[in-house]
């Protein structure tokens, strides 16, 4: 394995064997460099003489700007430029779906951390001094931070933005709204604000060009969307904005939106000098959208035999100050609110609203983890009300092909929900806690010194499904170029060019595996991802292996056809064979084989006449927007995940240790087993974090914990080894029958962990993340688990 790169561009040459095609655990070509610390992330990019850029942000969640005085900052030594709203030459606002967010606040600020100005200076210290010298006169205003208040007044009172206070509302109706079963459970639930918490902060290197444009190397999830928004705000044609992907240190949805790109591009054009703009951790927390906090209410009814009859739900998402992807997140939350179950009668009302809290947008699961926490808690409550095992209740109600979803969409593809929940239920359980359990294996570890007699064990289950790819009629596509040529050493190699953003999901590996499978070459060069080729769409919605993998496969197949046609001509075969060369010719082991004559032509001989190249665009099947009653063929496909969590809870200290996580996930056909496991483990860990510890605490619109000291993340000590079973059912319409695997596990992990804790302590837990005060017994208080059953296994409560 070898790789080459220049100026931070991520270009990889993979010399894996030709047998290392799809289905094999091929290592990442960038893996070794990431392990030894030599991989160049965006924040490492450097040019001699470059300027350093920083952003001034509002300390208030809501305020009127009475005056901005930049004169003192401009006079400081080393300061090259200071820009504010008046310096934006093009469109003053940007946004993924709706362009409602100002490049810089002009008259009002709507959230703590909103950009007000930006500076460029000869070094980082001079830039910080310039920020301190900018005088902004704010008139603080009462912050509107309660999304329920927005819903209750219909978004009309105290408008926070000219576009209004409600980003979107959906009212889904399916079946008879008045229908109900004889057994009923209802409750309310709250989900806190989770951050993507990627390790590599936002960064870009920007170079102004002679045509008035810019070249930018940036860590992002969607190069072409960035280009479109940057060009509009600079007021220049898109072809003058050239973007190349820099090393990305994680994303999880947090890099879909514009953050520093426009600020850096504007400063580079104003100064005429290269510059680097990058965030520190506090600015990263303030500068990108987060997972939507949610307030949920559910009422489930069922027959006494445990058949679901109806689900009524109310979903309120806090979108923060600007739209980001909030309208699409709400659609996901509403359409998944009743869970992966057959529900004849459904009523779901959903709102996503504007507040003076931090903006929220895409994060792994995209609206589904929030509602999955609610609907799975409801299934456990219903199981208790029925006196039924929670696994059996789920098994009786799961969706199957031929069923109709609450949107009216027909389940047409494999959806192995029953297999998933049965698989995790059958996995071996860990040994129980005893006096011989090492203290390091108890909640809190050695420092807590838990009493094993005061530790309660719980087992919980959860089932979820998650849509794949873009929905609601979006024209989703990906473009790829494959070129077969002779390398510098005279051996055949394939060059793959795609704008797919590699953010850790493994496209750098999968692309080579696909090309080796289709073309049989050993060496595959993955060219830097940039905007010189057509869009690959975003690295989100579990879509890139399906979409960009589909584009690479289509281009490779076309290259193979053209190469075989060239071989047919070289062999003097009839014109009809030249037109359809696969009738007699095959590509195998670096040679063209004439099946009947046994003739073999080395690829190197054919490529001596010149390279063979193809560009292809891949699209998935069309979908429909939601109709007035929330009906329509909305989603392309779904993935399924089931978790079983086993936890130990110290009821005196309020500490939880996750002892075991078992996952059965519907993955389509497996292209890279090692990469698949990485996605399953990561998705599980992020769901565990939401259940037990991860929350960006916002008080009155002010973020109280914007550092990794106070925003608590799961570590290797918190996440057990994953007992993972891949369920393989080929997905129709997808290349090789694949399914995206990055998100489904996150959706089921959170409710499974909460169910296990609920089972351990016998308490109603209606908020995530769970806090220690939710678990601790007061002096003299009997623990419900002591009165029920000592093992507390089963997952309901």
């Amino acid at each position: 394995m070898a790789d080459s790169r220049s100026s931070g561009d991520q270009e990889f040459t993979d010399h894996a064997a030709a047998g290392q095609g799809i289905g094999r655990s091929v290592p990442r070509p960038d893996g070794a460099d990431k392990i030894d610390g030599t991989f160049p992330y965006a924040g490492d990019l450097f040019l001699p003489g470059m300027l350093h850029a920083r952003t001034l942000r509002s300390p208030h969640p809501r305020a009127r700007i009475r005056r901005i005085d930049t004169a003192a900052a401009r006079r400081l030594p080393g300061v090259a430029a200071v820009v504010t709203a008046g310096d934006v030459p093009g469109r003053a606002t940007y946004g993924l779906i709706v362009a409602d967010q100002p490049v810089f606040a002009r008259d009002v600020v709507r959230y703590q951390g909103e950009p007000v100005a930006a500076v460029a200076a000869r070094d980082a210290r001079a830039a910080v001094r310039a920020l301190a010298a900018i005088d902004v006169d704010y008139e603080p205003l009462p912050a509107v931070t309660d999304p329920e208040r927005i819903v209750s007044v219909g978004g009309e009172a105290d408008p926070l933005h000219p576009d209004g206070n409600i980003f979107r509302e959906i009212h889904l109706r399916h079946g008879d709204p008045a229908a109900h079963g004889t057994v009923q459970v209802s409750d309310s639930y709250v989900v806190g604000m989770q951050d993507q918490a990627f390790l590599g902060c936002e960064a870009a290197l920007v170079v102004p060009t002679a045509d008035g444009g810019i070249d930018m190397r940036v860590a992002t999830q969607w190069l072409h969307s960035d280009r479109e928004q940057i060009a509009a705000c600079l007021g220049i044609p898109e072809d003058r904005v050239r973007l190349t992907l820099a090393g990305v240190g994680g994303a999880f949805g947090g890099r879909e939106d514009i953050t520093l790109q426009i600020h850096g591009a504007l400063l580079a054009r104003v100064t005429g000098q290269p510059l680097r703009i990058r965030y520190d951790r506090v600015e990263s927390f303030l500068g990108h959208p987060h997972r939507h906090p949610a307030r949920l209410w559910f009422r489930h009814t069922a027959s006494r035999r445990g058949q679901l009859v109806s689900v009524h739900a109310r979903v309120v998402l806090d979108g923060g100050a600007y739209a980001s992807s909030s309208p699409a997140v709400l659609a996901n939350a509403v359409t998944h609110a009743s869970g992966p179950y057959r529900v004849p009668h459904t009523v779901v009302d959903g709102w996503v609203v504007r507040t003076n809290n931090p903006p929220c947008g895409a994060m792994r699961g995209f609206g589904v983890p929030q509602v999955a926490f609610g609907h799975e808690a409801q299934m456990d409550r219903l199981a208790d009300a029925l006196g039924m095992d929670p696994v059996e209740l789920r098994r009786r109600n799961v969706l199957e092909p031929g069923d109709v979803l609450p949107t009216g969409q027909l389940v047409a593809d494999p959806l192995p929900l029953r297999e998933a929940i049965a698989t995790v239920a059958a996995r071996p359980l860990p040994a129980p806690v005893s006096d011989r359990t090492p203290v390091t294996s108890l909640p809190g570890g050695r420092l807590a010194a838990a009493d094993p007699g005061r530790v309660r064990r719980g087992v919980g289950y959860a089932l979820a499904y998650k849509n794949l790819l873009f929905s609601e009629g979006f024209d989703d596509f990906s473009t790829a170029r494959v070129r077969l040529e002779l390398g510098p050493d005279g051996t055949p190699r394939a060059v793959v060019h795609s704008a797919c953003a590699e953010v850790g999901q493994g496209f750098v590996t999968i692309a080579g595996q696909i090309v080796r499978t289709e073309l049989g070459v050993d060496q595959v060069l993955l060219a830097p991802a940039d905007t010189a080729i057509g869009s690959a769409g975003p690295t989100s919605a579990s879509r890139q292996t399906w979409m960009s993998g589909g584009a690479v496969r289509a281009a490779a197949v076309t290259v193979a056809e053209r190469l075989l046609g060239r071989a047919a001509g070289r062999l003097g075969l009839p014109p009809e064979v030249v037109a359809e060369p696969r009738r007699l010719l095959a590509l195998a082991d670096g040679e063209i084989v004439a099946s009947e004559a046994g003739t073999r032509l080395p690829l190197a001989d054919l490529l001596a006449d010149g390279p063979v190249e193809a560009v292809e665009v891949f699209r998935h099947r069309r979908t429909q927007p939601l109709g007035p009653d929330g009906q329509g063929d909305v989603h392309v496909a779904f993935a399924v995940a089931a978790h079983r969590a086993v936890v130990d809870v110290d009821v005196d200290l309020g500490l939880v240790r996750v002892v075991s996580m078992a996952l059965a996930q519907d993955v389509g056909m497996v292209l890279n087993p090692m990469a698949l496991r990485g996605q399953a483990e990561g998705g599980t860990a992020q769901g565990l974090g939401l259940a037990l510890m991860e929350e960006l605490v916002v008080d009155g619109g002010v973020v109280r914990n914007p550092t990794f000291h106070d925003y608590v993340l799961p570590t290797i000590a918190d996440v057990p080894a994953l007992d993972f079973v891949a369920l393989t059912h080929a997905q129709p319409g997808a290349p090789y029958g694949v399914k995206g695997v990055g998100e489904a596990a996150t959706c089921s992990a959170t409710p499974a962990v909460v169910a296990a804790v609920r089972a351990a302590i016998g308490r109603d837990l209606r908020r995530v993340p769970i806090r220690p005060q939710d678990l601790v017994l007061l002096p003299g208080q009997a623990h419900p688990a002591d009165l029920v059953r000592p093992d507390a296994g089963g997952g309901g409560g």
Side-chain angles (χ1 to χ4, degrees):
M1 180 177 69
D3 60 83
S4 60
R5 58 179 71 89
S6 61
S7 303
D9 297 348
Q10 302 307 306
E11 178 180 89
F12 301 101
T13 303
D14 190 346
H15 291 282
Q20 296 293 288
I22 61 169
R24 304 294 294 274
S25 288
V26 178
R28 293 180 60 100
D30 57 358
D33 290 348
K34 288 181 174 179
I35 289 171
D36 66 21
T38 59
F39 180 84
Y41 290 100
D44 300 321
L45 299 179
F46 179 85
L47 283 176
M50 70 181 186
L51 299 174
H52 297 256
R54 294 293 299 268
T55 306
L56 181 68
R57 298 178 179 275
S58 167
H60 306 287
R62 189 184 185 194
R64 185 173 291 111
I65 298 175
R66 292 187 286 216
R67 177 177 53 84
I68 302 177
D69 186 353
T70 63
R74 295 176 191 275
R75 290 195 298 267
L76 288 176
V79 175
V82 181
V83 292
T84 61
D87 298 300
V88 179
R91 192 175 67 195
T93 57
Y94 65 92
L96 263 179
I97 297 176
V98 180
D100 69 336
Q101 185 162 354
V103 175
F104 295 109
R106 180 186 295 271
D107 302 314
V108 296
V109 292
R110 298 184 175 92
Y111 71 97
Q112 180 210 16
E114 179 157 11
V116 174
V119 303
R122 68 188 176 196
D123 56 47
R125 291 183 178 180
V128 171
R129 288 194 295 269
L131 293 183
I134 298 173
D135 182 19
V136 184
D137 183 9
Y138 294 102
E139 177 190 347
L141 301 171
V144 177
T145 59
D146 182 1
E148 289 284 5
R149 173 188 167 188
I150 301 294
V151 174
S152 65
V153 298
E156 298 173 1
D158 196 12
L160 303 178
H161 190 282
D163 292 350
N165 291 349
I166 296 181
F167 295 121
R168 187 178 187 182
E169 60 181 293
I170 300 172
H171 302 283
L172 185 153
R173 301 291 184 270
H174 179 72
D176 180 2
H180 62 275
T182 54
V183 181
Q184 173 181 305
V185 295
S186 62
D187 218 328
S188 299
Y189 304 90
V190 175
V191 179
M193 183 183 292
Q194 187 181 21
D195 188 75
Q196 297 86 352
F198 39 74
L199 296 185
C201 292
E202 294 85 345
L205 182 69
V206 194
V207 180
T209 55
D211 63 359
I214 56 103
D215 286 339
M216 179 183 293
R217 291 171 174 81
V218 61
T220 181
Q221 288 180 245
W222 195 352
L223 288 163
H224 284 76
S225 177
D226 286 5
R227 180 180 71 170
E228 177 184 353
Q229 296 174 77
I230 294 168
C233 293
L234 295 183
I236 61 177
E238 287 186 20
D239 61 7
R240 294 187 188 175
V241 178
R242 292 165 287 269
L243 270 60
T244 302
L245 186 71
V248 181
F252 316 112
R255 300 187 199 268
E256 280 197 34
D257 294 79
I258 289 286
T259 52
L260 46 64
Q261 292 93 320
I262 298 172
H263 301 156
L266 177 59
L267 284 166
R269 292 185 78 224
V270 168
T271 62
Q273 295 181 251
L275 61 84
R276 182 177 67 196
I277 181 168
R278 65 180 180 184
Y279 291 170
D280 59 20
R281 182 58 57 189
V282 172
E283 192 168 15
S284 179
F285 270 114
L286 298 178
H288 66 250
H290 317 283
R291 189 187 297 287
H292 291 77
R295 301 184 186 186
L296 312 165
W297 173 85
F298 289 89
R299 182 174 69 224
H300 283 56
T301 76
S303 70
R304 295 200 178 276
R305 293 180 58 82
Q307 299 295 331
L308 284 171
V309 175
S310 69
V311 171
H312 287 226
R314 185 176 185 271
V315 178
V316 178
L317 303 181
D318 183 352
Y322 297 107
S324 181
S325 53
S326 284
V329 173
L330 180 67
N332 258 24
V334 167
T335 58
H336 289 75
S338 59
Y341 306 109
R342 188 186 308 107
V343 183
H345 310 287
T346 311
V347 174
V348 184
D349 296 308
W351 295 263
V352 59
V353 302
R354 191 190 307 272
T355 66
N356 292 123
N357 291 320
C360 293
M363 186 174 171
R364 196 177 206 159
F366 206 74
V368 179
Q370 292 95 317
V371 295
F373 165 57
H375 68 60
E376 289 304 276
Q378 286 289 105
M379 293 298 283
D380 284 344
R381 290 174 63 87
L382 187 59
D384 280 352
L386 291 163
M388 184 179 293
D389 179 79
V391 172
E392 175 60 20
L393 177 64
R394 288 169 171 85
R395 191 193 65 79
R396 291 188 184 188
N397 289 281
V398 292
L399 289 163
E400 294 182 310
D403 287 336
V404 177
L405 302 177
T407 59
Q409 179 173 341
L410 183 71
V411 177
D413 300 330
L415 208 61
L417 289 154
R418 183 173 284 107
E419 181 184 3
I421 192 68
T423 297
V424 294
R427 303 302 294 173
L429 285 164
V433 174
S434 70
D435 292 339
R436 291 177 294 179
T437 300
V439 67
T440 52
S441 297
L442 295 174
R446 191 176 300 280
L447 291 177
D451 176 0
R454 301 292 292 163
V455 172
R456 302 291 181 267
R457 171 153 294 182
V459 180
Y461 297 89
L463 188 59
Y465 75 148
K466 166 68 176 65
N467 65 310
L468 304 173
L469 319 183
F470 281 178
S471 302
E472 286 205 86
F474 188 87
D475 183 18
D476 190 11
F477 66 91
S478 180
T479 310
R481 175 186 292 112
V482 173
R483 177 184 174 97
L484 193 59
E485 63 183 19
L486 292 178
D489 60 355
T491 59
R493 71 174 185 181
V495 181
V496 180
H497 191 188
S498 166
C500 172
E502 172 59 55
V503 302
Q505 83 279 15
F507 182 75
V508 292
T509 309
I510 292 295
Q513 290 181 257
I514 291 172
V515 170
R516 282 193 293 275
T517 297
E518 300 297 336
L519 297 180
V521 293
D522 292 346
Q523 186 181 157
V524 180
L525 171 69
L526 186 63
D530 57 28
T531 52
I533 189 166
S535 178
T539 299
S540 62
S542 301
R543 63 179 292 283
Q544 285 293 14
T545 297
W546 184 327
M547 297 299 297
S548 291
V552 169
R553 184 191 190 192
V557 167
T558 301
V559 166
E561 293 286 347
R562 292 173 180 174
L563 187 68
L564 292 174
R566 179 182 291 183
R570 174 82 69 88
L571 294 171
L573 297 177
E576 60 269 20
V577 177
V578 175
E580 296 184 47
R582 288 190 186 269
R583 293 169 54 185
L584 293 177
L585 302 179
L587 179 60
D589 299 326
E591 295 181 316
I592 305 294
V593 180
S595 55
E596 293 185 359
T599 305
R600 294 178 176 270
L601 290 175
L603 286 185
D605 290 352
L606 288 169
L607 293 173
D609 295 340
V612 181
E613 179 180 295
V615 177
E616 294 288 350
V617 177
F618 184 89
R619 282 179 164 85
H620 60 65
R621 73 172 186 87
R622 295 305 299 264
T623 56
Q624 300 170 347
L626 280 172
D629 292 330
Q631 299 298 292
D633 185 13
V634 179
H635 300 301
V636 178
F638 298 92
V640 168
H643 268 99
R644 186 195 65 199
V646 180
V647 305
D648 287 340
V649 181
D650 184 326
V651 295
D652 295 324
L653 299 178
L655 298 176
V656 178
R657 177 174 180 262
V658 182
V659 179
S660 168
M661 293 291 285
L663 166 65
Q665 184 170 337
D666 164 35
V667 301
M669 302 308 291
V670 180
L671 302 193
N672 186 315
M674 180 167 56
L676 167 62
R677 170 166 278 277
Q679 290 295 311
E681 292 176 348
T684 297
Q686 234 161 359
L688 182 155
L690 178 58
L692 296 178
M693 58 192 73
E694 289 190 53
E695 182 176 12
L696 201 61
V697 178
V698 182
D699 180 12
V702 177
V703 178
R704 297 300 186 187
N705 59 330
T707 70
F708 279 165
H709 178 75
D710 297 310
Y711 183 90
V712 184
L713 288 165
T715 70
I716 194 170
D718 303 300
V719 183
L722 182 66
D723 181 3
F724 174 50
V725 179
L727 308 179
T728 54
H729 300 271
Q731 172 63 42
Y736 308 111
V738 301
K739 282 191 174 183
V741 297
E743 296 178 281
T746 302
C747 303
S748 56
T750 300
V753 172
V754 175
V757 176
R758 187 187 302 117
I761 67 173
R763 283 190 178 183
D764 193 15
L765 300 171
R766 297 180 294 151
R767 184 190 187 280
V768 289
I770 300 169
R771 298 159 297 185
Q773 59 264 38
D774 300 327
L775 308 176
V776 175
L777 286 178
L778 298 175
Q781 182 181 10
H783 198 283
D786 295 333
L787 307 177
V788 185
R789 58 184 188 274
D791 63 346

